[in-house]
Amino acid sequence: MRLEFSHCGIDMIQLIRGFKDILPGEVELWQKIERVARELFEDFGYREIRIPIMERTELFKRSIGEDTDIVEKEMYTFPDRKGDLVTLRPEATASICRAFIQHKLYSQDPVQKYYMIGPMFRRERPQKGRYRQFYQIDAEIFGVQSGLADVQLIFLLVTLCKRLNLADVRAHINSLGCPRCRPAFKKALTDYLVSIEGDLCPDCIRRRNRNPLRVLDCKVPKCREALIGAPSLQDHLCEGCRIDFDLVMDSLNRLGVSFVIDKQLVRGLDYYTRTAFEIQTTSLGAQSAVAGGGRYDNLVKELGGPDIPATGFAIGFDRLAELVALNSRELIQVPDVFVAALGADSQKSAFEWVCELGTGGIRVEMDYGNKSLKSQMKRADRLGARYVLIVGDDELKSGSAALRNMATKEQVSVSLDNLVDNIRSQLETTNS
Ligand code: HAM
């Protein structure tokens, strides 16, 4: 735990390393992204699913794969009080598959489309764009064998980026083959790995025999360099995978989605088959992947469900928000009206009007203390209030108060009867 001494000498508890607060001022951007994403997904028939933050460790081991960095090094796993091993979810796909199987969701309609938004946990080395609690916006399609489902997902990602005015993003795609074409590829890759053994890190040497594809995902610079000449899955695809990948490329072209074929793209999770993809950017330094996903045709079956193909993606919400923030002005919520009250009676009435205006859908603020008019006006100005309603005992008696437009400095008198409607019509005149 990191402690610091506050000004009064008491230990102050700081955030856990790699975790972060999303503060007001920043949160508005997250809300906007979430609104745009939800609307887009729902227009395409995706329904929200909410899954638990914690699952049995076995679920992630079996789906993500025992030899992956996530399972080997990054999961927050601990025994609960009865000794059962549980894990804070490092991703959503495994849990969504578990729910899909457990609740027999496939019996409702052969095609199921879901999205979810929420926090994930991986104990990675923290740096900009990489956190130990981070957020994902996830979408999954179950029950479609055709590569058109992958194309729809990539199209949704690109469309979301467009709606958020992001220019510097590019789809990278690759095919990771299927159990039919993998054995020949694995053999070619293992032979190659033997030939460069001296340049590989201990993790890669260990993984070479158990799971050679994982070696292609190693982040160690020396390994990456040595892997440049490694055989590519693209050159070993079986006919079915080749036809499917051609369909994906052709359909993306027809939709005008630009992409690069990235033979190095293998993804960090074991469950992928056929098309895998990422949305990458050059604007976020080392953390170039804003979103990643792909097809996982065998996972539902491997987790004990029926033989149902699936595909999906997850967007790194933190990274997306950082990218959107680079391109947009601050989204601060400003009050429509600040009620400045002078005197005890006006304060009481002001408090009630604030409740009325707020429930009437007008964004409202007041000062809860007994401050001077000057200091209330100053605060209204600092908050960026569009109008200030100034009420003292005289106004209360006369039944009308001054409404000051903070931009033009003009004041009009508004009746305190029907205050919500009167203020709303003033706001509408300035909006029009
Ligand atoms: P993933 O590539 O591990 O895939 O993660 C997806 C995205 O989450 C990444 O592209 C990145 O933007 C973000 N991300 C991952 N780790 C961190 C981190 N430590 N800090 C910040 N952002 C991070 C999956 O999770 C798969 N479940 C995607 C999927 C869904 N495949 C099929 N369906």
Side-chain angles (χ1 to χ4, degrees):
M1 191 186 340
R2 191 163 160 239
L3 294 177
E4 259 179 28
F5 290 103
S6 67
H7 55 277
C8 50
I10 296 172
D11 286 351
M12 215 173 72
I13 299 167
Q14 301 272 316
L15 264 175
I16 304 174
R17 195 164 123 79
F19 286 60
K20 65 175 190 175
D21 300 309
I22 306 163
L23 300 174
E26 213 182 329
V27 144
E28 289 79 357
L29 187 68
W30 284 62
Q31 289 170 337
K32 179 185 153 182
I33 295 172
E34 203 171 313
R35 267 197 309 275
V36 176
R38 279 176 189 279
E39 192 181 291
L40 178 66
F41 294 160
E42 286 172 12
D43 284 348
F44 277 80
Y46 292 71
R47 295 191 301 163
E48 183 170 0
I49 183 165
R50 296 189 185 192
I51 43 160
I53 277 179
M54 207 158 73
E55 297 268 6
R56 289 177 197 283
T57 303
E58 194 53 29
L59 175 68
F60 300 117
K61 279 192 177 171
R62 267 167 65 185
S63 44
I64 299 169
E66 301 253 11
D67 305 307
T68 56
D69 279 354
I70 298 178
V71 171
E72 270 188 0
K73 306 175 187 169
E74 296 168 0
M75 294 202 305
Y76 283 92
T77 297
F78 48 92
D80 73 0
R81 286 180 181 261
K82 272 176 99 186
D84 294 330
L85 268 193
V86 292
T87 294
L88 293 180
R89 64 182 184 201
E91 59 115 42
T93 312
S95 305
I96 296 176
C97 283
R98 196 238 344 108
F100 179 75
I101 299 165
Q102 183 170 346
H103 304 289
K104 297 192 171 54
L105 298 177
Y106 45 85
S107 59
Q108 298 171 3
D109 185 274
V111 177
Q112 295 286 324
K113 294 186 273 184
Y114 308 114
Y115 74 89
M116 73 79 56
I117 302 175
M120 307 293 154
F121 303 85
R122 295 184 194 173
R123 203 176 186 290
E124 295 190 72
R125 202 165 52 78
Q127 62 182 80
K128 190 171 161 42
R130 198 205 277 152
Y131 309 98
R132 291 180 170 176
Q133 176 177 333
F134 60 99
Y135 293 76
Q136 284 188 341
I137 303 176
D138 187 282
E140 314 285 350
I141 305 180
F142 290 91
V144 183
Q145 182 63 73
S146 161
L148 289 179
D150 309 83
V151 174
Q152 180 173 90
L153 292 167
I154 298 169
F155 178 74
L156 285 178
L157 283 170
V158 170
T159 306
L160 180 65
C161 290
K162 262 195 209 142
R163 290 194 180 172
L164 294 169
N165 294 324
L166 299 180
D168 174 31
V169 285
R170 193 77 181 276
H172 287 234
I173 64 170
N174 193 15
S175 176
L176 301 184
C178 70
R180 205 179 307 160
C181 34
R182 288 259 177 94
F185 172 69
K186 274 189 182 167
K187 165 104 188 40
L189 181 59
T190 312
D191 290 347
Y192 179 79
L193 295 177
V194 170
S195 74
I196 56 159
E197 182 166 332
D199 297 321
L200 295 178
C201 71
D203 275 351
C204 285
I205 293 175
R206 188 168 43 79
R207 288 170 177 170
R208 189 188 66 200
N209 295 325
R210 282 169 59 114
N211 194 344
L213 239 86
R214 283 276 59 87
V215 176
L216 295 177
D217 193 43
C218 182
K219 307 284 183 301
V220 175
K222 205 167 147 227
C223 296
R224 296 220 64 80
E225 210 172 296
L227 288 164
I228 286 173
S232 155
L233 243 164
Q234 284 280 329
D235 303 327
H236 291 80
L237 294 182
C238 65
E239 200 193 348
C241 289
R242 168 59 52 210
I243 293 173
D244 184 72
F245 197 57
D246 285 345
L247 171 72
V248 168
M249 290 190 291
D250 183 49
S251 309
L252 287 172
N253 280 327
R254 289 166 69 114
L255 289 171
V257 174
S258 66
F259 59 89
V260 283
I261 301 167
D262 184 346
K263 293 184 180 180
Q264 312 283 332
L265 185 80
V266 284
R267 312 274 304 122
L269 306 95
D270 269 356
Y271 49 62
Y272 291 111
T273 52
R274 294 200 164 169
T275 302
F277 51 88
E278 281 185 3
I279 299 292
Q280 297 189 7
T281 176
T282 54
S283 304
L284 290 179
Q287 307 310 316
S288 59
V290 184
R295 181 160 281 282
Y296 50 96
D297 285 340
N298 305 318
L299 185 57
V300 175
K301 195 167 158 207
E302 281 164 8
L303 289 175
D307 191 1
I308 292 180
T311 176
F313 66 67
I315 302 169
F317 201 156
D318 311 68
R319 293 184 194 172
L320 186 65
E322 279 163 31
L323 212 52
V324 177
L326 294 176
N327 293 281
S328 63
R329 286 184 295 121
E330 252 184 304
L331 288 170
I332 296 178
Q333 287 177 4
V334 298
D336 293 318
V337 182
F338 186 99
V339 183
L342 287 167
D345 287 343
S346 315
Q347 274 272 326
K348 280 186 206 153
S349 302
F351 182 71
E352 286 158 24
W353 294 331
V354 163
C355 293
E356 262 179 60
L357 290 164
T359 45
I362 292 169
R363 208 167 273 163
V364 64
E365 189 50 89
M366 71 176 286
D367 202 289
Y368 299 91
N370 209 359
K371 300 263 171 61
S372 69
L373 179 62
K374 193 173 162 202
S375 96
Q376 294 190 55
M377 292 304 285
K378 254 195 182 160
R379 179 154 173 252
D381 194 41
R382 214 174 41 239
L383 293 175
R386 295 170 61 201
Y387 283 92
V388 178
L389 183 74
I390 304 164
V391 211
D393 291 341
D394 290 348
E395 283 80 4
L396 268 191
K397 273 191 212 125
S398 72
S400 64
L403 186 69
R404 182 179 173 85
N405 182 323
M406 295 295 277
T408 63
K409 312 286 180 226
E410 280 164 0
Q411 276 186 205
V412 289
S413 174
V414 289
S415 163
L416 295 172
D417 291 334
N418 260 337
L419 189 62
V420 174
D421 289 342
N422 293 341
I423 291 202
R424 188 173 292 129
S425 60
Q426 274 301 322
L427 289 169
E428 277 162 12
T429 22
T430 26
N431 281 343
S432 60

